[in-house]
Every structure is written in structure tokens, then in C-alpha cells.
Amino acid sequence: METGAVMRGGILSFASRSVRAATGLGMLAAACTLAGCAHRTESLYQWENYQAQVYQYLKGSSSDPQAQIAVLEQDFQKIQARQRKPPPGFHAHLGLLYATIGKDDQAVQQFQTEKALFPESTAFMDMLLDKAKAKTKTGAGKEASL
């Protein structure tokens, strides 16, 4: 009878230690997971007001392209000061705004910058650059739009 009691006590003691160890490992795993969630990776791009400006443009609520240009140019200065990158489409949108007010040289410069920074935009930027060249050749001025 004594051997059975010792054996049961040993098994119970072993089971108790196993449960405690498993609980400790579970808590350690949970702590590591939560610590991993707390780490924030920085965005590849600095967005500033770009998304709001595009939304206003597409919604048609901003009737002043020069005001949008001023905001985006100011944002670009901030992005450069922080040594970050503007998001995809930033220079393309700025180029479209320049084209809207008839500053075709600046529009072409922005389209070329977009194309250089984001090669996946090449087809679209080439199309806009071709339209800008055609507009310049015909001398259409402000009336023609990209």
C-alpha cells in the first residue's frame, strides 16, 4: 500500500509540475506574441496630405488646383527634409495638377519623376508624356487637357 501511495504521489507531483511548466510556456509564448505586436514597422512612404488631396480632386470638391499644388509642394518639402519617399502617384498627381493650370513643362517633369521612381507606372506615364508632347506641338495651350 505504501508503494502505491508513493507512486500516486509521484505521478501527481509529476503531473502538477507538467501543468505548471505548460502554463509557464503558454504565458511566455503569449508575452512574446504581444511584444511582437507592439513593434510597429515604419511605412515605406510618407503620405502627408496626398490621399486627402487626391480624394478632393476626384470628388471635385477642390476647384483650385493651385491650392492643391501648394499643399503637395509643401508636403514634398517635408518628405525630403525627413529623407523619406513620396508615395506612388504623388508626382503623377502633381503633374496632372500642373497640366490643369497650363504649366506643361512642370507637368512633364513630374511625370518623368514618377516614371523614374516607380517603373511600374511607365505605361501610364508614357501615355501622359505623349499627350503632353502632342499638346505642345499643336500649341493648344490651356484649352487642351491631359
Side-chain angles (χ1 to χ4, degrees):
M1 194 95 148
E2 275 182 38
T3 24
V6 171
M7 193 177 234
R8 274 186 265 146
I11 292 173
L12 289 176
S13 177
F14 174 74
S16 176
R17 282 183 293 198
S18 295
V19 168
R20 276 189 252 136
T23 303
L25 286 174
M27 290 175 67
L28 179 63
C32 289
T33 301
L34 291 175
C37 291
H39 177 69
R40 268 183 87 179
T41 57
E42 234 177 83
S43 174
L44 289 174
Y45 309 107
Q46 186 169 336
W47 294 85
E48 294 297 325
N49 294 306
Y50 170 65
Q51 291 172 309
Q53 295 302 315
V54 170
Y55 180 72
Q56 286 179 358
Y57 178 80
L58 294 174
K59 189 177 167 188
S61 62
S62 177
S63 60
D64 186 12
Q66 289 184 334
Q68 280 198 336
I69 289 170
V71 169
L72 290 174
E73 287 288 355
Q74 185 178 19
D75 285 351
F76 187 65
Q77 295 301 320
K78 289 178 190 175
I79 292 168
Q80 284 186 316
R82 294 180 183 143
Q83 298 178 350
R84 301 289 310 275
K85 295 178 185 177
F90 187 95
H91 291 286
H93 185 66
L94 194 51
L96 286 172
L97 292 170
Y98 277 126
T100 301
I101 62 170
K103 294 187 175 183
D104 296 335
D105 291 342
Q106 288 175 294
V108 167
Q109 181 183 9
Q110 293 298 324
F111 295 152
Q112 289 171 338
T113 301
E114 181 76 21
K115 182 178 169 179
L117 292 175
F118 304 101
E120 62 274 16
S121 70
T122 297
F124 184 55
M125 292 301 105
D126 284 346
M127 186 244 341
L128 292 175
L129 288 165
D130 289 345
K131 283 190 172 202
K133 287 176 189 173
K135 181 179 169 184
T136 304
K137 283 183 184 178
T138 61
K142 289 185 180 180
E143 294 81 34
S145 174
L146 295 177

